[in-house]
Amino acid sequence: MPKVGMRDTRRQQLITATMESIAELGMQNTTIVSISRRAGLSSGIIGHYFGGKQGLIEAALRYLLEQLGKELKERIARTDGSPEQRLKCIVEANFSDFQQTEMAAKTWLSFWARSMHEPGLQRLQQINNARLYSNLRYAFAARLPPEAATAAARQTASMIDGFWLRSALSKDPAEGFAEAQTLCKRFALSTLNSGSH
């Protein structure tokens, strides 16, 4: 009989191995064999837990989304919940240490490229976009009229995605991510405070 928690441990091993394989080989060249070898588990277990490579790739992307959500909740829990603090937390969660790792960054980049052609990945991308927009709009709506809050949320979401992409592809990602975070926070806070005058 398997030990309690072994299933979750194996699932996580496979998800991590998938992201490592994507970071090294790209999504196209990542195979069940390359994943199972990295995880130190038999390839048959992938089919058992995830139904195949596509199911495992979607699970890896859901894991990235979960990490983003968890990071945001933890950060907001340590603040007074003001709109300023919420906006700072949203930006920080998107540029967190984990989201900047080569493994996470390359998985996101591969995910965005493939989501244009695969409905399952496209759905996850839409969830991600909607969540970012919704969190931003909630914060802006505390100070700005509805139309302005919508515009501010769209602009800030585009800035976060755009700066994240440029940073991930730059020669010095760490420096790019740090500067991007500062610029996104500055824009979000100045836009929020423009409604207070």
Side-chain angles (χ1 to χ4, degrees), residues 35-49:
I35 295 166
S36 59
R37 193 173 289 150
R38 272 172 183 76
L41 296 166
S42 75
S43 54
I45 211 160
I46 292 174
H48 176 68
Y49 286 144

Side-chain angles (χ1 to χ4, degrees), residues 129-141:
N129 287 347
R131 194 176 293 164
L132 176 59
Y133 166 76
S134 172
N135 284 327
L136 288 165
R137 195 185 181 290
Y138 180 83
F140 282 120

Side-chain angles (χ1 to χ4, degrees), residues 56-74:
L56 182 47
I57 285 171
E58 288 183 21
L61 297 167
R62 275 193 296 275
Y63 174 73
L64 286 177
L65 290 170
E66 282 162 18
Q67 290 303 111
L68 197 53
K70 187 176 156 201
E71 186 95 39
L72 178 58
K73 278 181 195 157
E74 286 171 0

Side-chain angles (χ1 to χ4, degrees), residues 8 21 25 35 40 48-49 53 69 77 88 90 94 100 116 121 137 139 146 150-152 157 188 191 194:
D8 289 343
S21 180
L25 307 171
I35 295 166
H48 176 68
Y49 286 144
K53 177 186 161 184
K88 282 182 186 176
I90 293 165
N94 279 274
Q100 290 181 38
M116 291 183 283
L121 301 186
R137 195 185 181 290
T150 296
T191 304
S194 71

Side-chain angles (χ1 to χ4, degrees), residues 62-180:
R62 275 193 296 275
Y63 174 73
L64 286 177
L65 290 170
E66 282 162 18
Q67 290 303 111
L68 197 53
K70 187 176 156 201
E71 186 95 39
L72 178 58
K73 278 181 195 157
E74 286 171 0
R75 285 173 187 274
I76 288 175
R78 296 193 295 264
T79 73
D80 60 9
S82 68
E84 286 88 353
Q85 291 297 328
R86 291 186 80 86
L87 287 172
K88 282 182 186 176
C89 289
I90 293 165
V91 173
E92 287 169 5
N94 279 274
F95 291 99
S96 71
D97 290 345
F98 174 74
Q99 298 297 339
Q100 290 181 38
T101 61
E102 185 181 27
M103 180 180 76
K106 288 190 173 177
T107 302
W108 275 119
L109 292 169
S110 297
F111 165 43
W112 282 338
R114 289 285 287 273
S115 68
M116 291 183 283
H117 309 287
E118 295 178 23
L121 301 186
Q122 192 174 55
R123 191 173 61 251
L124 289 172
Q125 175 60 11
Q126 286 165 352
I127 289 167
N128 184 39
N129 287 347
R131 194 176 293 164
L132 176 59
Y133 166 76
S134 172
N135 284 327
L136 288 165
R137 195 185 181 290
Y138 180 83
F140 282 120
R143 294 270 167 80
L144 304 176
E147 210 170 292
T150 296
R154 285 188 178 140
Q155 285 176 296
T156 308
S158 295
M159 280 189 84
I160 289 170
D161 286 343
F163 272 121
W164 191 96
L165 185 59
R166 288 176 74 100
S167 302
L169 295 172
S170 69
K171 286 182 182 173
D172 186 351
E175 187 184 327
F177 281 127
E179 187 183 12

